[in-house]
Amino acid sequence: MIKKITKTLALSFLLIGVFACGSDSEGPDTEGPSVDITTPNETDTYKRGTALPLNAKFTDNKELAKCIISISYVTPASSAAQLKGIGTPWTPAENGDTEVINFTEKKEQTVTISMLFGQEIEAACLSGDYKLKFEMTDAEGNATTEEITIKIGG
């Protein structure tokens, strides 16, 4: 009788353990984060003397960690003549500045920044194409890079 009760209890504890711990593990996270960028975009031209905004939605299948945004100067405006005294790219592109977004335990986050890199686009910077690079990581260390080319001028 005691042997039967012991077996029943052992089996019960085993089943409770299996169901309590669950087996819904999806395995290791190998998928990097993604971003859907509304602003800035590749079709608009962002005017010198104004702020460059960011409106974007970041997502990950498990948990976002961080995004580092950088900007680089690519090419001068194809049809615009360069003015005297305007000979350097926008300062964040020239200095290699970055904008860092840290996420806290979220699978999805919408980000709105009114002025990327903490300054307006200088009135005396080179107009042309600039590349914005978004380097995103999730909590597991998976990384994804997204790049868009924007136009600055006017």
PDB file of all heavy atoms in Angstrom, residues 16-25:
ATOM      1  N   ILE A  16       3.404  17.426 -12.221  1.00  0.00           N
ATOM      2  CA  ILE A  16       3.258  18.820 -11.803  1.00  0.00           C
ATOM      3  C   ILE A  16       4.483  19.619 -12.234  1.00  0.00           C
ATOM      4  O   ILE A  16       4.374  20.731 -12.736  1.00  0.00           O
ATOM      5  CB  ILE A  16       3.037  18.914 -10.272  1.00  0.00           C
ATOM      6  CG1 ILE A  16       1.644  18.383  -9.918  1.00  0.00           C
ATOM      7  CG2 ILE A  16       3.208  20.353  -9.790  1.00  0.00           C
ATOM      8  CD1 ILE A  16       1.392  18.232  -8.430  1.00  0.00           C
ATOM      9  N   GLY A  17       5.654  19.027 -12.063  1.00  0.00           N
ATOM     10  CA  GLY A  17       6.897  19.699 -12.464  1.00  0.00           C
ATOM     11  C   GLY A  17       6.939  19.976 -13.957  1.00  0.00           C
ATOM     12  O   GLY A  17       7.340  21.055 -14.394  1.00  0.00           O
ATOM     13  N   VAL A  18       6.519  19.016 -14.770  1.00  0.00           N
ATOM     14  CA  VAL A  18       6.532  19.189 -16.216  1.00  0.00           C
ATOM     15  C   VAL A  18       5.564  20.290 -16.632  1.00  0.00           C
ATOM     16  O   VAL A  18       5.913  21.167 -17.429  1.00  0.00           O
ATOM     17  CB  VAL A  18       6.189  17.863 -16.936  1.00  0.00           C
ATOM     18  CG1 VAL A  18       5.896  18.096 -18.409  1.00  0.00           C
ATOM     19  CG2 VAL A  18       7.315  16.861 -16.755  1.00  0.00           C
ATOM     20  N   PHE A  19       4.363  20.275 -16.092  1.00  0.00           N
ATOM     21  CA  PHE A  19       3.372  21.281 -16.476  1.00  0.00           C
ATOM     22  C   PHE A  19       3.686  22.652 -15.884  1.00  0.00           C
ATOM     23  O   PHE A  19       3.434  23.669 -16.510  1.00  0.00           O
ATOM     24  CB  PHE A  19       1.957  20.841 -16.083  1.00  0.00           C
ATOM     25  CG  PHE A  19       1.447  19.719 -16.940  1.00  0.00           C
ATOM     26  CD1 PHE A  19       1.235  18.462 -16.421  1.00  0.00           C
ATOM     27  CD2 PHE A  19       1.209  19.934 -18.291  1.00  0.00           C
ATOM     28  CE1 PHE A  19       0.772  17.429 -17.220  1.00  0.00           C
ATOM     29  CE2 PHE A  19       0.744  18.907 -19.101  1.00  0.00           C
ATOM     30  CZ  PHE A  19       0.532  17.649 -18.558  1.00  0.00           C
ATOM     31  N   ALA A  20       4.250  22.702 -14.686  1.00  0.00           N
ATOM     32  CA  ALA A  20       4.572  23.985 -14.055  1.00  0.00           C
ATOM     33  C   ALA A  20       5.716  24.675 -14.797  1.00  0.00           C
ATOM     34  O   ALA A  20       5.695  25.876 -15.014  1.00  0.00           O
ATOM     35  CB  ALA A  20       4.935  23.778 -12.592  1.00  0.00           C
ATOM     36  N   CYS A  21       6.731  23.924 -15.157  1.00  0.00           N
ATOM     37  CA  CYS A  21       7.871  24.512 -15.870  1.00  0.00           C
ATOM     38  C   CYS A  21       7.502  24.801 -17.314  1.00  0.00           C
ATOM     39  O   CYS A  21       8.027  25.714 -17.922  1.00  0.00           O
ATOM     40  CB  CYS A  21       9.067  23.565 -15.838  1.00  0.00           C
ATOM     41  SG  CYS A  21       9.742  23.401 -14.176  1.00  0.00           S
ATOM     42  N   GLY A  22       6.646  24.019 -17.841  1.00  0.00           N
ATOM     43  CA  GLY A  22       6.204  24.219 -19.212  1.00  0.00           C
ATOM     44  C   GLY A  22       7.252  23.775 -20.208  1.00  0.00           C
ATOM     45  O   GLY A  22       8.423  23.629 -19.912  1.00  0.00           O
ATOM     46  N   SER A  23       6.824  23.579 -21.399  1.00  0.00           N
ATOM     47  CA  SER A  23       7.738  23.207 -22.477  1.00  0.00           C
ATOM     48  C   SER A  23       7.501  24.123 -23.672  1.00  0.00           C
ATOM     49  O   SER A  23       7.626  23.716 -24.802  1.00  0.00           O
ATOM     50  CB  SER A  23       7.522  21.745 -22.861  1.00  0.00           C
ATOM     51  OG  SER A  23       6.182  21.562 -23.263  1.00  0.00           O
ATOM     52  N   ASP A  24       7.143  25.397 -23.344  1.00  0.00           N
ATOM     53  CA  ASP A  24       6.846  26.340 -24.411  1.00  0.00           C
ATOM     54  C   ASP A  24       8.081  27.123 -24.853  1.00  0.00           C
ATOM     55  O   ASP A  24       7.979  28.151 -25.485  1.00  0.00           O
ATOM     56  CB  ASP A  24       5.724  27.294 -23.996  1.00  0.00           C
ATOM     57  CG  ASP A  24       6.063  28.079 -22.740  1.00  0.00           C
ATOM     58  OD1 ASP A  24       7.053  27.721 -22.076  1.00  0.00           O
ATOM     59  OD2 ASP A  24       5.326  29.033 -22.429  1.00  0.00           O
ATOM     60  N   SER A  25       9.246  26.623 -24.507  1.00  0.00           N
ATOM     61  CA  SER A  25      10.484  27.283 -24.907  1.00  0.00           C
ATOM     62  C   SER A  25      10.607  27.267 -26.420  1.00  0.00           C
ATOM     63  O   SER A  25      10.429  26.250 -27.063  1.00  0.00           O
ATOM     64  CB  SER A  25      11.677  26.562 -24.277  1.00  0.00           C
ATOM     65  OG  SER A  25      12.865  27.125 -24.771  1.00  0.00           O
TER      66      SER A  25
END
